[in-house]
Amino acid sequence: GTLIGTALSIMRATRAASFGGSVKSVSASGGIGYGTGAGGAQTQGTSKSQGVTLDKVCGQITTHNATLNAGVEVGFTLTNSTIAATDVVLVTIASGATADAYHVQVDATAAGSCHISITNVSGSNLGEALVLNFVVIKSVAA
């Protein structure tokens, strides 16, 4: 047939794939995401404000179980060499938390790091080790 454009291009040296259109999953359970080996895990050692280093595009961070008082926010830096200043980093609570007790968010992103904040919105002082899922979505400004 007639060439309508490049649908897929793979650079052998870098293993980078480029698509000429959008990437969509038609699977009811497969979705789009990172595969086994792309993620990692790290645990805070001394406090909920202690920084964590994890150089993976996705993974889990287990926070320290120090008490976080009602209405108080604490933050820490995730140092991660995969993060570019233009990327979007998402974080959610996977487990370990009292339901509806916390808000968690990434509130700053820079080359090589992001800042994650946890707020206790429960009305009670809580000392829980939260397991946070994170993912880096690669993005560019232009």
Side-chain angles (χ1 to χ4, degrees):
T2 304
L3 179 65
I4 58 172
T6 303
L8 171 65
S9 172
I10 300 175
M11 298 296 295
R12 185 181 307 234
T14 62
R15 294 190 215 156
S18 299
F19 298 90
S22 63
V23 177
K24 300 176 184 173
S25 172
V26 295
S27 169
S29 61
I32 298 172
Y34 294 109
T36 301
Q42 189 61 266
T43 300
Q44 288 179 319
T46 59
S47 71
K48 279 187 170 67
S49 63
Q50 179 186 22
V52 172
T53 299
L54 183 55
D55 294 325
K56 298 285 189 169
V57 290
C58 59
Q60 288 191 323
I61 300 165
T62 302
T63 69
H64 191 270
N65 65 351
T67 297
L68 185 58
N69 291 338
V72 173
E73 179 176 281
V74 66
F76 67 92
T77 298
L78 168 60
T79 302
N80 184 323
S81 64
T82 71
I83 299 173
T86 54
D87 290 345
V88 176
V89 182
L90 301 177
V91 64
T92 61
I93 298 172
S95 63
T98 299
D100 301 321
Y102 301 93
H103 288 168
V104 61
Q105 67 182 14
V106 174
D107 52 25
T109 304
S113 70
C114 69
H115 188 266
I116 298 172
S117 294
I118 303 166
T119 306
N120 178 345
V121 296
S122 72
S124 301
N125 299 342
L126 298 171
E128 301 174 312
L130 310 179
V131 178
L132 307 177
N133 288 338
F134 78 90
V135 63
V136 178
I137 300 173
K138 304 307 287 177
S139 182
V140 295

